[in-house]
Amino acid sequence: GVWRFQVSAALKEGRVGPRELCQRCLARIKSSGVLNAYISVAEETALKQAEESEKRYKRGQPLGVLDGIPVAVKDNFSTAGIETTCASNMLKGYISPYNATVVQKLLDQGAVLLGKTNLDEFAMGSGSTDGVFGPVRNPWSYSRQYKEKSVPKSHSEDEECNWVITGGSSGGSAAAVASFTCFAALGSDTGGSTRNPAAHCGVVGLKPTYGLISRHGLIPLVNSMDVPGILTRCVDDAAVVLGSLAGHDPKDSTTIQDNFKPFELPDSPDVSKLSIGIPKEYQAPGLSSEILALWSKAADLFKNAGAKVTEVSLPHTRYSIVCYHVLCTAEVASNMARFDGLEYGHRSEMNKSTESMYAATRREGFNDVVRGRILSGNYFLLKQNYEKYFIKAQKVRRLIANDFLKVFGSGVDILLTPTTLSDAVPHAEFIKEDNRTRSAQDDILTQAANMAGLPAINVPTALSERGLPIGLQFIGRSFQEKQLLTVAKWFEKQVKFPMIQLEEVKWHSHDVFQHQKSASFS
Amino acid sequence: QAVTVEVLDRLEQLALVDFRDAEGVERLREAIRFADQLREVDTEGVEPMDSVLEDRCLYLREDDVTEGNCTNELLKNAREKVEEYFVAPPGNIPLPKLEERETFLKGS
């Protein structure tokens, strides 16, 4: 194949070795510890993997583009020998005996697994603030771009009060990629958990079509909506990672059996023959005027390039979040039932009876958010409520999915929408509202794609007035990731999103990182 | 609709998690209020959707044993075990009634 990749090319040409790359990333993880992006750092195993990779490069036999590339994985993916906690007391100390399929695939390609990233407990939340290991800080909090726009205070007061959230729940993964500690990270996406932090951290966040990538080993939240998400610094990288992860997995029977062919994106994508839809309902209450203006400018970009840009309607959009709330809590109530302390995870000292042991274990192991969702879910599933809430929500789900089918059926290829309602808010402000309220507000633009199982991607677009990233979202047709990523790549080239200027962490000047808009591996 | 103490008690027993405090109960009430918005949607003649992949057949593999014999691996993560058994406290003992449980609901 044609090696048009940067870090990968550098590795192949011997300008940098996997071991050195790994060491630099590990050092960077240490120096950017204030971000709290990582829960576990697997230093020893990562260096071993890097050494193996180095041997392969010396022999001229790298396994592929990902060989030697440092990656991070959200801590709700099972990793053999490395703790998997889901940022919960329930799984502190839990060491999975197996790798999630997506983790195994990355390792089989020679990727170097640096560690597990921080998240909201059990991936429930939109801020990455509710895990037991504390909140994740958005690297842009420490950027020159943000500091320049902040009201000047005394320097130390500044950083402690003003740091902004990453969004969530895959905030650790987004922060890890945005702060250059790794070249790609896995997240998960159930209601927007990959795209939301991607938007706030200025990175590419891809939610693939439901059924394309295996969920085996991804600790489940909502079985009918969860997907592994991909976070990278540019769209080409996302395509590479997608190529190595997608495809049928006999261990996950919800993966489709169609043959998946990894693809490369065209160097100069052409959008002139495309039809772009602008769903009017996505001008949601609370959408910042900044983002509205950016969205409009983006639509103009496509128009000027010759694409057909039309306003479309997805009439049930505003019920999507309500529907999600019911279906999510119901499935969570079921999925969290496995945590009883008997076979793995936390176990209470209480041993009067199995029931009381289970109750005590769960009382001790789960935080308020998780318990709240379990209780709500059980309420909606009570016999007297089942028809009125759960079945009703399933019917509304079909209406939402049909809205998309109708629009795509009318000739629209891609939808263009905002990803978030605003740029990242300061942590101090975010925690004033409770988790459920925040999730309901923040998931509004991303959630419907999960309802309908459609692929969607956040592309960093511009900086806000506060110097923070704003992203826009593209939603595509089922299993049409190639088209979706092609459009995303075109858009990325147009907007030329600026690179983060981090002051805390010193750059190592090295030709791997020089002359690059966005130190990517592809 | 009043969410009665009986319902709350039942939920604690079904879910085996507790409401912890007034905030927990209020959270449930708000969740119900939020979900009630679904009533506004006309779903006459609409079939419930279980999965977006409903038009496809799930993959079913042959009923052959392809892996296993990992007893030690699996037992590693359990706190209480004896030989190859997970050890549970005595079963068939129902959760204590509301009055006897340590629950916030007792006060209601």
Side-chain angles (χ1 to χ4, degrees):
Chain A
V2 177
W3 291 80
R4 53 192 177 93
F5 312 136
Q6 292 168 337
V7 145
S8 293
L11 286 171
K12 192 158 195 270
E13 290 158 27
R15 280 183 281 129
V16 68
R19 197 163 205 280
E20 188 188 341
L21 197 57
C22 179
Q23 278 165 337
R24 285 188 187 287
C25 286
L26 288 170
R28 205 173 175 86
I29 293 175
K30 281 204 189 85
S31 63
S32 59
V34 69
L35 300 178
N36 200 22
Y38 286 81
I39 293 177
S40 314
V41 180
E43 189 162 333
E44 267 184 52
T45 54
L47 285 169
K48 265 200 211 100
Q49 287 160 9
E51 270 170 39
E52 292 301 308
S53 175
E54 188 132 337
K55 288 189 196 140
R56 288 190 293 268
Y57 273 102
K58 290 221 165 86
R59 287 200 303 266
Q61 293 170 339
L63 292 168
V65 185
L66 288 178
D67 204 334
I69 301 290
V71 299
V73 163
K74 186 175 180 182
D75 206 15
N76 60 351
F77 285 93
S78 299
T79 44
I82 302 172
E83 205 181 350
T84 299
T85 66
C86 294
S88 174
N89 282 319
M90 189 58 91
L91 288 179
K92 252 194 196 160
Y94 168 69
I95 301 196
S96 169
Y98 71 103
N99 281 322
T101 296
V102 289
V103 172
Q104 192 59 53
K105 285 189 170 189
L106 287 176
L107 294 174
D108 288 344
Q109 297 276 313
V112 173
L113 179 57
L114 295 173
K116 310 297 289 298
T117 58
N118 204 350
L119 60 155
D120 282 303
E121 182 161 336
F122 279 109
M124 300 186 200
S126 60
S128 304
T129 52
D130 278 329
V132 294
F133 298 103
V136 185
R137 297 189 183 195
N138 192 326
W140 285 82
S141 311
Y142 302 95
S143 69
R144 193 177 305 153
Q145 290 105 326
Y146 178 62
K147 287 184 181 175
E148 274 171 4
K149 299 292 178 90
S150 307
V151 175
K153 283 197 201 114
S154 86
H155 190 74
S156 57
E157 217 190 87
D158 229 358
E159 279 162 25
E160 275 318 292
C161 310
N162 276 349
W163 64 267
V164 297
I165 58 165
T166 51
S169 60
S170 310
S173 285
V177 172
S179 60
F180 302 101
T181 61
C182 62
F183 288 79
L186 291 187
S188 65
D189 197 310
T190 306
S193 291
T194 288
R195 290 160 286 155
N196 175 293
H200 288 315
C201 294
V203 297
V204 171
L206 170 64
K207 174 213 166 298
T209 311
Y210 179 85
L212 185 62
I213 298 187
S214 173
R215 290 180 300 112
H216 175 73
L218 166 61
I219 295 173
L221 192 59
V222 183
N223 295 317
S224 67
M225 295 185 213
D226 289 351
V227 293
I230 296 169
L231 294 132
T232 55
R233 287 193 283 274
C234 70
V235 178
D236 274 326
D237 290 356
V240 171
V241 179
L242 179 69
S244 70
L245 296 182
H248 176 61
D249 179 17
K251 293 184 178 174
D252 176 0
S253 63
T254 61
T255 52
I256 59 161
Q257 293 160 64
D258 299 5
N259 238 321
F260 173 79
K261 284 194 214 72
F263 50 81
E264 262 180 37
L265 300 174
D267 278 325
S268 313
D270 170 30
V271 299
S272 57
K273 298 187 188 62
L274 287 178
S275 169
I276 311 285
I278 310 286
K280 62 181 185 195
E281 291 85 1
Y282 277 64
Q283 195 172 323
L287 184 66
S288 85
S289 49
E290 251 186 329
I291 298 189
L292 185 58
L294 210 60
W295 186 18
S296 181
K297 261 173 83 178
D300 288 340
L301 271 176
F302 281 99
K303 246 182 244 152
N304 296 335
K308 177 171 174 221
V309 180
T310 45
E311 190 186 73
V312 297
S313 176
L314 298 166
H316 295 92
T317 298
R318 67 194 180 95
Y319 294 107
S320 170
I321 196 72
V322 186
C323 186
Y324 174 66
H325 163 74
V326 174
L327 294 179
C328 174
T329 50
E331 291 214 37
V332 159
S334 170
N335 278 322
M336 296 293 129
R338 72 192 66 194
F339 298 107
D340 57 21
L342 207 52
E343 292 158 30
Y344 46 76
H346 174 69
R347 176 173 175 149
S348 170
E349 295 296 321
M350 159 71 72
N351 64 357
K352 287 214 192 83
S353 67
T354 42
E355 301 267 308
S356 61
M357 187 278 274
Y358 293 166
T361 295
R362 292 155 71 80
R363 182 197 173 91
E364 293 159 20
F366 290 139
N367 74 0
D368 287 345
V369 177
V370 178
R371 288 199 333 276
R373 291 202 194 186
I374 294 173
L375 288 162
S376 300
N378 273 287
Y379 179 81
F380 298 133
L381 291 172
L382 286 175
K383 214 178 351 183
Q384 67 255 38
N385 296 329
Y386 194 77
E387 191 68 42
K388 177 159 75 138
Y389 290 101
F390 184 68
I391 299 290
K392 180 79 180 182
Q394 287 194 312
K395 292 180 179 177
V396 175
R397 180 175 189 176
R398 182 177 297 285
L399 291 176
I400 293 166
N402 285 347
D403 278 357
F404 283 102
L405 280 177
K406 230 178 261 148
V407 164
F408 286 128
S410 73
V412 169
D413 298 304
I414 301 273
L415 296 169
L416 166 62
T417 81
T419 312
T420 54
L421 295 176
S422 72
D423 57 3
V425 300
H427 179 251
E429 197 182 303
F430 184 79
I431 53 177
K432 285 191 192 146
E433 294 274 13
D434 76 83
N435 183 293
R436 196 195 59 79
T437 309
R438 281 296 183 196
S439 298
Q441 292 164 349
D442 301 333
D443 286 345
I444 230 160
L445 301 169
T446 48
Q447 203 295 304
N450 298 86
M451 277 296 183
L454 299 171
I457 187 170
N458 171 77
V459 181
T461 306
L463 294 184
S464 69
E465 270 162 24
R466 291 163 64 219
L468 295 171
I470 297 178
L472 291 178
Q473 173 178 238
F474 295 94
I475 305 174
R477 297 182 187 175
S478 277
F479 303 108
Q480 299 305 310
E481 270 78 355
K482 183 167 183 189
Q483 183 177 64
L484 179 69
L485 289 171
T486 301
V487 174
K489 178 171 175 175
W490 180 87
F491 186 69
E492 177 186 63
K493 285 181 120 153
Q494 298 298 310
V495 299
K496 298 192 185 49
F497 183 77
M499 192 158 76
I500 185 176
Q501 285 158 30
L502 281 170
E503 300 185 320
E504 298 292 280
V505 195
K506 296 262 184 310
W507 268 124
H508 292 284
S509 151
H510 188 285
D511 69 322
V512 170
F513 295 112
Q514 273 170 8
H515 312 304
Q516 290 186 11
K517 279 277 150 83
S518 56
S520 73
F521 62 82
S522 74
Chain B
Q1 279 103 349
V3 176
T4 61
V5 175
E6 283 75 38
V7 172
L8 295 174
D9 181 28
R10 177 125 184 77
L11 287 176
E12 280 198 346
Q13 290 187 53
L14 280 173
L16 290 179
V17 297
D18 65 310
F19 279 99
R20 192 71 43 108
D21 50 30
E23 216 181 295
V25 177
E26 186 52 34
R27 213 175 283 139
L28 174 67
R29 294 209 161 97
E30 271 195 48
I32 299 169
R33 272 195 289 269
F34 192 66
D36 280 337
Q37 292 174 77
L38 282 178
R39 283 198 225 140
E40 297 167 19
V41 189
D42 178 13
T43 51
E44 187 66 46
V46 180
E47 284 299 300
M49 179 183 239
D50 292 312
S51 164
V52 296
L53 298 177
E54 60 188 1
D55 292 334
R56 295 171 185 259
C57 284
L58 282 186
Y59 170 74
L60 289 176
R61 66 186 181 91
E62 290 306 311
D63 190 13
D64 296 324
V65 175
T66 54
E67 51 185 70
N69 287 325
C70 49
T71 315
N72 288 331
E73 289 288 333
L74 296 178
L75 286 173
K76 269 198 197 128
N77 281 303
R79 300 281 166 97
E80 310 253 346
K81 49 206 174 197
V82 167
E83 292 176 11
E84 294 191 345
Y85 294 89
F86 296 110
V87 179
N92 284 327
I93 301 174
L95 211 56
K97 287 214 178 34
L98 186 58
E99 310 83 63
E100 288 142 42
R101 279 206 320 274
E102 283 232 12
T103 164
F104 159 77
L105 298 178
K106 258 202 292 208
S108 325

